[in-house]
Amino acid sequence: MAEETCSASALAALLVGVGGTANATGAAQYICSQLETAALKTADVTSAVDTTFLLFSAYLVFAMQLGFAMLCAGSVRAKNTMNIMLTNVLDAAAGAIFYYLFGFAFAFGSPSNGFIGRHFFALKSIPTPNFDYSYFLFQWAFAIAAAGITSGSIAERTQFVAYLIYSSFLTGFVYPIVSHWFWSADGWAAAGRNLGDSLLFGSGVIDFAGSGVVHMVGGLAGFWGALIEGPRVGRFDHAGRMVALRGHSATLVVIGSFMLWFGWYGFNPGSFVYIAKSYGPIGSPLNGQWSAVGRTAVTTTLAGCTAALTTLFGKRLQTGHWNVVDVCNGLLGGFAAITAGCAVVEPWAAVICGFVAAWVLIGCNILAARFKFDDPLEAAQLHGGCGAWGVIFTALFAKKQYVNEAYPGRPGRPYGLLMGGGGRLLAAHVIQIVVIVGWVSATMGPLFYAMHKMGLLRISVEDEMAGLDITRHGGFAYVYEDEDSHSGTGGGGGVAFPMQTYTKNGERQPASTNPV
């Protein structure tokens, strides 16, 4: 649609008969100046609306840290609760500093080459016409989400200093490089590359909100950490059979899952960055980015809910129980899978995404048990496995119309294979999976191995048996009372828990000195 402008000379010609040439020219200039002022104010309002949308989305994504904290706390044993809560706090705190100093520049420091950004270190020269502070905040929230995923995989047996090292390295270097490749306008595989640059297979990678960029990166980092330091004491018996080391609070798991669900409405729809954008004639209430934002929230919801129900019945057939923790993990697996294609698929396709994601998670957990891989939160399987499925799913089901709306300016862009768009998008997405696996393995694997060799990764068996809270953090997350406190002499109002200790294989037994 051609841009309409106010021309004083053209308007004056229409006003000549009103009161003479001089008056007509003056009236025309006045009207045009008022219209131009109104247009500038409208532009300011549009910018304010878009910035408010982005900031609100950033706050929602940051709220996911609370979800991660609750989920992690409920999934570990009570004796390690304070440790895992502290690591979640420091993922955000250390991640903020290192993403501010290095990460944002490596990810979005434009102009740059296709591999790594090279501007905006410590937010120098921000704001720019392309990046404001709100965009930094939004991207930081994504970076610490990747670090939070990894912390769950290595819970209950990792030294605190190792958390600080890997979290800083992941948010300051490893994750930003991947986000530069696929999300920066300069990235070599980005679907939204600068219009003058060529696209990978003519399409680029459509990883809209980060099934690969965030979830695969966090899951693979956690995989290497858990693999190198080995399973928790007592996780497998002498015959190699898996022993359940259940988390201490299903309540916290459910609360954390709902918080993550809530935050995902910023994670996926918020990745549009702008909301006040029209796709067609002005005044059409259904033909704008605001409608696409709503559709993205719907596809996110349907994928997660389908995965939750599929997991419910799938695990019932497998174990004979209705397990709420398994259902929560299935729910999150569906969310992780739909994250890549949430903006470019139909709602019915999101149902397929969630259904398959549940079985991917179940299958990954079977493989983990067979190979004696121990991840207390199933984070590597959930985010790594379901994230990879989400990347493939998008390449199969991306709809032409939605692809062109989300990534405009490239006529003839490939779309989903099963939607008639050919196989070029699928080829690009296979490349994405390969390079993410290679990059994270080449960076995080050696880091965890080096910490392991230097004795910085895993705690001693004795400390693991006693629990990280008492051995490394000076006390427990919960207040305990002994029997005398019930007689009215002393007691601090805490909740009483049965005192327990641990045998060498990690099983609980009653005792009088050590809490769970």
Side-chain angles (χ1 to χ4, degrees):
M1 183 176 65
E3 183 178 358
E4 297 180 3
T5 59
C6 183
S7 170
S9 59
L11 189 57
L14 298 175
L15 297 174
V16 168
V18 175
T21 303
N23 289 339
T25 301
Q29 290 175 343
Y30 174 77
I31 293 172
C32 283
S33 67
Q34 293 301 304
L35 290 175
E36 289 169 0
T37 300
L40 292 174
K41 289 183 177 179
T42 300
D44 287 344
V45 170
T46 300
S47 297
V49 169
D50 287 335
T51 299
T52 301
F53 169 70
L54 184 59
L55 282 172
F56 181 70
S57 298
Y59 304 152
L60 285 176
V61 178
F62 178 69
M64 295 177 78
Q65 289 302 118
L66 175 59
F68 279 125
M70 295 296 99
L71 180 69
C72 289
S75 299
V76 302
R77 289 163 290 179
K79 62 180 180 178
N80 297 311
T81 306
M82 185 178 291
N83 171 263
I84 199 67
M85 296 287 275
L86 182 57
T87 62
N88 275 270
V89 173
L90 290 179
D91 279 339
I97 300 302
F98 280 88
Y99 198 72
Y100 159 74
L101 292 174
F102 310 109
F104 187 78
F106 289 149
F108 299 102
S110 181
S112 66
N113 57 51
F115 178 77
I116 189 171
R118 55 190 182 192
H119 298 282
F120 309 145
F121 290 98
L123 296 186
K124 183 179 180 181
S125 301
I126 295 290
T128 72
N130 294 323
F131 299 122
D132 204 347
Y133 295 108
S134 55
Y135 191 73
F136 164 80
L137 193 75
F138 185 67
Q139 293 298 337
W140 159 73
F142 273 67
I144 61 175
I149 292 168
T150 305
S151 66
S153 295
I154 57 177
E156 297 205 284
R157 74 268 204 201
T158 304
Q159 293 196 47
F160 186 68
V161 66
Y163 283 108
L164 292 175
I165 294 172
Y166 96 76
S167 182
S168 302
F169 187 58
L170 184 65
T171 55
F173 182 69
V174 177
Y175 166 81
I177 300 299
V178 177
S179 58
H180 180 81
W181 294 348
F182 303 112
W183 285 348
S184 170
D186 298 314
W188 63 269
R193 273 193 107 184
N194 296 310
L195 292 179
D197 298 331
S198 61
L199 296 176
L200 179 66
F201 294 112
S203 67
V205 170
I206 299 177
D207 189 359
F208 188 75
S211 288
V213 174
V214 178
H215 295 284
M216 279 190 66
V217 169
L220 284 167
F223 168 80
W224 284 109
L227 182 69
I228 289 170
E229 67 178 351
R232 292 166 290 173
V233 173
R235 185 66 172 105
F236 298 95
D237 63 19
H238 297 296
R241 293 185 297 267
M242 185 173 65
V243 177
L245 299 180
R246 299 189 183 279
H248 79 283
S249 176
T251 302
L252 290 178
V253 171
V254 173
I255 292 173
S257 298
F258 273 115
M259 282 301 306
L260 288 168
W261 188 340
F262 179 63
W264 237 291
Y265 290 129
F267 205 97
N268 287 3
S271 292
F272 277 99
V273 179
Y274 307 107
I275 191 171
K277 177 181 177 182
S278 177
Y279 294 151
I282 296 175
S284 173
L286 301 178
N287 200 11
Q289 197 141 285
W290 48 87
S291 181
V293 167
R295 185 186 65 247
T296 300
V298 170
T299 57
T300 300
T301 302
L302 291 176
C305 293
T306 302
L309 292 173
T310 305
T311 305
L312 174 68
F313 292 101
K315 294 295 288 187
R316 166 71 175 180
L317 294 174
Q318 186 180 14
T319 66
H321 302 292
W322 307 102
N323 192 313
V324 67
V325 175
D326 289 334
V327 171
C328 287
N329 284 337
L331 174 81
L332 300 179
F335 288 150
I338 194 60
T339 296
C342 54
V344 295
V345 300
E346 292 275 16
W348 61 262
V351 174
I352 298 174
C353 177
F355 178 79
V356 176
W359 292 110
V360 168
L361 178 59
I362 291 172
C364 287
N365 284 332
I366 292 173
L367 289 175
R370 179 169 299 177
F371 290 99
K372 298 181 177 60
F373 175 79
D374 182 23
D375 182 329
L377 274 87
E378 301 177 6
Q381 302 94 294
L382 192 161
H383 297 277
C386 294
W389 155 241
V391 171
I392 297 298
F393 161 79
T394 305
L396 299 177
F397 289 94
K399 185 177 179 179
K400 181 179 180 179
Q401 175 190 344
Y402 300 157
V403 169
N404 289 327
E405 289 174 350
Y407 302 94
R410 300 275 189 164
R413 181 193 291 271
Y415 49 99
L417 175 64
L418 299 182
M419 306 297 287
R424 287 185 292 168
L425 181 59
L426 178 60
H429 282 211
V430 170
I431 293 294
Q432 182 193 22
I433 292 174
V434 171
V435 297
I436 288 178
V437 171
W439 172 251
V440 177
S441 299
T443 52
M444 297 303 295
L447 176 68
F448 280 118
Y449 186 75
M451 289 193 292
H452 172 68
K453 284 299 184 181
M454 291 187 291
L456 298 175
L457 185 59
R458 183 155 185 164
I459 60 175
S460 66
V461 173
E462 292 76 16
D463 286 354
E464 185 176 345
M465 300 285 287
L468 283 159
D469 288 1
I470 191 64
T471 60
R472 300 303 171 98
H473 302 289
F476 297 102
Y478 301 100
V479 178
Y480 295 88
E481 296 179 348
D482 57 29
E483 294 179 358
D484 292 339
S485 65
H486 297 287
S487 64
T489 59
V495 178
F497 288 87
M499 297 301 183
Q500 299 177 358
T501 188
Y502 289 79
T503 61
K504 191 171 183 179
N505 66 4
E507 296 178 352
R508 283 183 276 194
Q509 64 180 20
S512 59
T513 57
N514 294 330
V516 277

